Amino acid sequence: MANNYFQQPLWIGREVLRVAENETRFVRNIDKKLSDDFLVSGTKVGGTVGVRLPQRFVTKKGQALQEQGINDQVVYVTITDQAQVAWGWSSMQATLDVQDTRERYVRPAAVQIANTMDKDGLARLYQDVYFAQGTPGTTPTANTVYYAAADDLTQIAAVPKESRNMVVNAIMGTAIANANLSLFQPKNDFFADGMLAGNALKWREWWEDVNVYPHTYGTYSGTPLVNGASQTGSSLITDGWTSGGATLNKGDVFTIGSGSTAVKAVNVQSYQDSGLAQKFVVTQTISDTTGAMTISISPSLITSGAYQTVTASPADNATINVTGSSGVVSMQGLGFHKEAFVMASADLVMPNQGKAERVRAPKSGLSLRYWEASDIRTDQHPSRLDVIYGFKTQRPDWAVRVQA
């Protein structure tokens, strides 16, 4: 029997939300915030909501009270995007049965919205992550790359082992699955859908996502060195770059020194040398000035206190070791705990014309609005689905890049 399902905006919104939740790979596995701060009258692109991070303390010993100051860290997530899918149909088309409606309109719209959100998140957030494994420009086939990526989170950042996810593209997934075929029978649960399944190579879940983003390293040459000892903070003064020929891009990763001059990371709980080199990410694209460059970096160089990141400041003339060769393009797989990143969504204001419904799913962190109008002159019914959202890296040390 024919049914005019297009006249039920709430049904459409719920169906799109259900499909979108199932279709996301990256977004479904990160922290979400559907903020009540925006519920009174809705919000728009540019709205901001704060997310508080846990306090970090240093253990003290002795009977005497040694009170530590409270340092509240708040990460602000800004709603930056409004994504929409719009279509129109006639009254005749509105007699489609529910299955035809799902397959021809609702599911494609939901898949596209989910794909857009995943793409935006992966394209933006990897640039904040400084832990990295693998050789840029080479698809990793060795288990040790993924083991080492997990070790960064454990040995340095003490990241809980539950809720750890690895997102790779199809080529990366095929390469590492193929490398393990001889170790496991095909019927083994180690494989699912032709790729690694849960609890493989120290990662709880594996996801294949076509939106894994490529990073292009800057073009550079010379022998870059630290210029000046005892540097701390979020910038690093360097020299030795080829004059007029060096650029580092936002998202480039490097280490400092080697051997006795290597800058090592500390474990965030014991504050002891982790035994691993601290990696740094360039937070702002920069070019040299006559061979000199002051690089904005994350994490900051902090040598003591509750937020200590390194065992010591870099030595003067310690080498700058960029992990990617000049100009190389590298796909950026991401391993992360769900609390490394957050996506905020909010309720859009309701229109004062036509039929509209909002559908909220606090668990998935999404709020969708479906809006339907009609044109009596043409017997057409234009409709649109909208979602607004923004992403933020709230704990960059709870994520690691696998460079391919």
Side-chain angles (χ1 to χ4, degrees), residues 43-66:
T43 191
K44 59 184 180 180
V45 172
T48 299
V49 60
V51 179
R52 289 188 181 275
L53 300 183
Q55 184 75 21
R56 278 177 60 177
F57 294 103
V58 177
T59 301
K60 304 290 186 180
K61 292 186 176 181
Q63 288 186 331
L65 177 68
Q66 302 177 61

Side-chain angles (χ1 to χ4, degrees), residues 130-296:
Y130 40 85
F131 293 148
Q133 295 292 337
T135 302
T138 302
T139 300
T141 58
N143 291 346
T144 51
V145 172
Y146 294 94
Y147 282 133
D151 290 345
D152 279 344
L153 302 192
T154 302
Q155 190 70 9
I156 301 175
V159 178
K161 293 185 178 181
E162 74 276 5
S163 299
R164 287 192 186 186
N165 296 276
M166 177 60 68
V167 176
V168 296
N169 67 10
I171 297 172
M172 297 170 71
T174 297
I176 194 61
N178 183 66
N180 287 279
L181 284 176
S182 63
L183 302 179
F184 297 88
Q185 296 297 321
K187 65 181 180 180
N188 195 297
D189 287 340
F190 190 79
F191 294 99
D193 297 325
M195 65 178 297
L196 298 187
N199 282 319
L201 310 185
K202 293 189 175 182
W203 294 96
R204 184 74 64 180
E205 297 284 349
W206 288 73
W207 302 91
E208 188 174 283
D209 197 318
V210 298
N211 295 303
V212 166
Y213 204 74
H215 176 72
T216 302
Y217 272 82
T219 55
Y220 60 89
S221 58
T223 306
L225 304 169
V226 173
N227 183 10
S230 303
Q231 295 190 51
T232 58
S234 59
S235 63
L236 182 67
I237 302 170
T238 66
D239 58 12
W241 306 90
T242 298
S243 181
T247 296
L248 292 181
N249 290 336
K250 180 179 179 180
D252 286 358
V253 176
F254 66 91
T255 60
I256 302 173
S258 62
S260 62
T261 64
V263 174
K264 299 291 188 66
V266 297
N267 180 277
V268 299
Q269 290 183 333
S270 68
Y271 298 96
Q272 299 299 307
D273 185 349
S274 68
L276 300 173
Q278 179 63 277
K279 296 181 177 71
F280 300 88
V281 67
V282 178
T283 60
Q284 183 176 338
T285 298
I286 185 172
S287 297
D288 78 281
T289 301
T290 61
M293 197 184 293
T294 299
I295 309 168
S296 297

Side-chain angles (χ1 to χ4, degrees), residues 284-350:
Q284 183 176 338
T285 298
I286 185 172
S287 297
D288 78 281
T289 301
T290 61
M293 197 184 293
T294 299
I295 309 168
S296 297
I297 60 172
S298 175
S300 295
L301 290 161
I302 303 174
T303 58
S304 63
Y307 294 93
Q308 182 179 353
T309 59
V310 293
T311 54
S313 293
D316 186 29
N317 289 326
T319 57
I320 304 297
N321 315 300
V322 183
T323 63
S325 58
S326 178
V328 69
V329 178
S330 171
M331 301 304 295
Q332 301 292 300
L334 269 182
F336 55 92
H337 187 280
K338 68 171 295 183
E339 292 183 16
F341 309 110
V342 61
M343 187 197 79
S345 182
D347 290 345
L348 277 163
V349 289
M350 296 295 284

